[in-house]
């Protein structure tokens, strides 16, 4: 569990970041930062925005560790020009954001809300003016509450409604937005949201979680043709949270447990997206909990995409755990390794291992690292500086691993750091900071951290060399 991990958390001693240069990467490599709507926007009651499942979930006592919500967050809804300036000044050439569906579709069957569309239209123009290629995510977990009231992602109708939403947004922004991500981390939507209940909508039922995962994947498949019809030159993909896994020992039961865990964490999503349907071993084990899949669904899900988005944070060690739901497998902390303040193992080599495994097993075409980052106990010094050398070293060492993996033949075309700003970190509220930019949530002041300054210097190298 995270708690067990947290007990083992130790600050890693800062080292010199590995020697790495922007010129080690291709000229057209994309350098970005990622954010998401609910985590940064605030402006919860503005522009005709309706309630999302996260607004509702945050009201639940104990759901969010500091009792907070995203109602104000980074106030990006008002401060977006300043935030995009930060991205430009870093030297980014791409920026990944998400569209809050509660700003766009205010009720069942409603026409798109012009105020919501206008907000994102201004935001996209702001990116283009600053040389930031917009990478738009359609769903980063903020479902409108009215859809949850009708059953949410457990209902097939929610997948159809998502295609309508994708149509509305792509019709409006597709003249300027060419890179589209349907979903962010369907595993989290399904498992955190509907099995563990630690994310909105806070349901704890494995059968529901599996049905949700299917409807989310189906909605991805239904959104693809809608986006392509509106944006013929669109590049469309999905962003998955994926983990390199190792069995805790050479014992057959640990090896089998690791394969099961992989089945739900990784293969459950990668297999159907690559035309293989759901993994048979997991379907067998889930038996009565298996999702209802209608004829044609798997074909829709397997429609070709243009890239795979990989969100990478940490590897996992897996041991056999008799009786542990849902698959009798458990994550055990690896001893003697550095961990972030979240307890997540720091493993740049895990990034390379993950990419090589995905390419060997699925040959997905171009890969973009759509998220990667770390959280630490940041402190603002008397001089106003945030000396977050652990985050700097995390970033630098993962970029070095990426460079080496690409040198080995991998087709990775871009990297988006999570995140541009400290923000509302879901169930952890404002207690976990992931930003390259520090946000004072009292004053909304932004300050570039040491890690941000390092990224800026790294990104400026090529400009200087030209
Ligand atoms: C990912 C989420 C992102 C952020 C990071 C830390 O799972 O996609 O919103 O919370 O973790």
């Amino acid at each position: 569990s995270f708690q067990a991990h947290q007990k083992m958390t130790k600050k890693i001693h800062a080292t010199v970041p590995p020697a790495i240069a922007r010129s080690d990467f291709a000229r057209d490599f994309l350098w970005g930062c990622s954010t998401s709507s609910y985590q940064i926007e605030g402006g919860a009651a503005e522009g005709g925005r309706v309630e999302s499942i996260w607004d509702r979930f945050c009201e639940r006592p104990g759901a969010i560790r500091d009792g907070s919500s995203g109602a104000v967050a980074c106030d990006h809804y008002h401060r977006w020009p300043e935030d995009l300036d930060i991205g430009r000044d870093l030297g980014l050439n791409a920026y990944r954001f998400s569209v809050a569906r509660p700003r766009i579709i205010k009720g069942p069957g409603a026409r798109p809300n012009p105020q919501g569309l206008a907000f994102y239209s201004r935001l996209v123009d702001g990116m283009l003016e600053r040389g930031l290629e917009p990478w738009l995510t359609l769903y980063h977990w903020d479902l409108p509450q009215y859809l949850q009231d009708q059953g949410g992602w457990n209902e097939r109708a929610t997948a159809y409604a998502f295609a309508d939403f994708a149509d509305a947004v792509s019709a409006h922004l597709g003249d300027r937005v060419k890179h589209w991500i349907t979903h962010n981390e369907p595993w989290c939507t399904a498992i955190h949201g509907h099995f563990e209940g630690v994310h909105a909508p806070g349901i704890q039922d494995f059968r529901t979680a599996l049905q949700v995962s299917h409807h989310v994947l189906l909605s991805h498949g239904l959104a693809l043709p809608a986006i392509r019809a509106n944006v013929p030159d669109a590049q469309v993909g999905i962003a998955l949270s994926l983990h390199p896994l190792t069995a805790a020992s050479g014992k057959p039961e640990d090896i089998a447990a690791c394969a099961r865990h992989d089945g739900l964490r990784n293969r459950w999503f990668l297999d159907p997206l690559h035309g293989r349907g759901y993994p048979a071993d997991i379907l067998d084990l889930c038996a009565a909990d298996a999702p209802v899949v209608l004829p044609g669904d798997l074909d829709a899900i397997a429609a070709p995409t243009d890239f795979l988005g990989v969100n990478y944070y940490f590897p996992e060690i897996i041991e056999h755990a008799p009786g542990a739901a849902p698959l009798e497998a458990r994550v055990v902390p690896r001893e003697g390794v550095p961990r972030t303040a979240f307890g997540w193992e720091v493993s740049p080599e895990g990034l390379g291992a993950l990419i090589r495994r995905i390419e060997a097993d699925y040959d997905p075409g171009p890969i973009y690292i759509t998220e990667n980052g770390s959280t630490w106990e940041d402190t603002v010094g008397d001089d106003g500086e945030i000396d977050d050398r652990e985050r700097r070293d995390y970033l630098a060492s993962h970029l070095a691993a990426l460079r080496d993996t690409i040198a080995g033949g991998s087709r990775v075309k871009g990297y988006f750091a999570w995140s541009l700003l400290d923000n509302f970190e879901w169930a952890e509220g404002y207690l976990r900071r992931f930003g390259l930019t520090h946000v004072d949530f009292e004053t909304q002041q932004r300050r570039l951290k040491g890690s941000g300054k390092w990224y800026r210097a790294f990104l400026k190298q090529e400009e200087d060399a030209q």
Side-chain angles (χ1 to χ4, degrees), residues 213-262:
S213 68
H214 177 62
H215 288 152
V216 167
L217 286 172
L218 176 63
S219 77
H220 156 84
L222 297 175
L224 287 174
I227 298 167
R228 293 203 193 284
N230 288 327
V231 196
D233 52 347
Q235 302 271 299
V236 193
I238 188 167
L240 302 179
S241 51
L242 299 170
H243 300 260
L245 306 174
T246 315
S249 79
K251 289 187 215 148
E253 59 266 37
D254 285 337
I255 293 170
C258 188
R260 292 194 298 277
H261 189 77
D262 180 54

Side-chain angles (χ1 to χ4, degrees), residues 255-273:
I255 293 170
C258 188
R260 292 194 298 277
H261 189 77
D262 180 54
L264 189 58
R265 236 315 188 196
N266 299 320
R267 289 184 284 124
W268 187 259
F269 300 91
L270 285 165
D271 278 15
L273 287 167

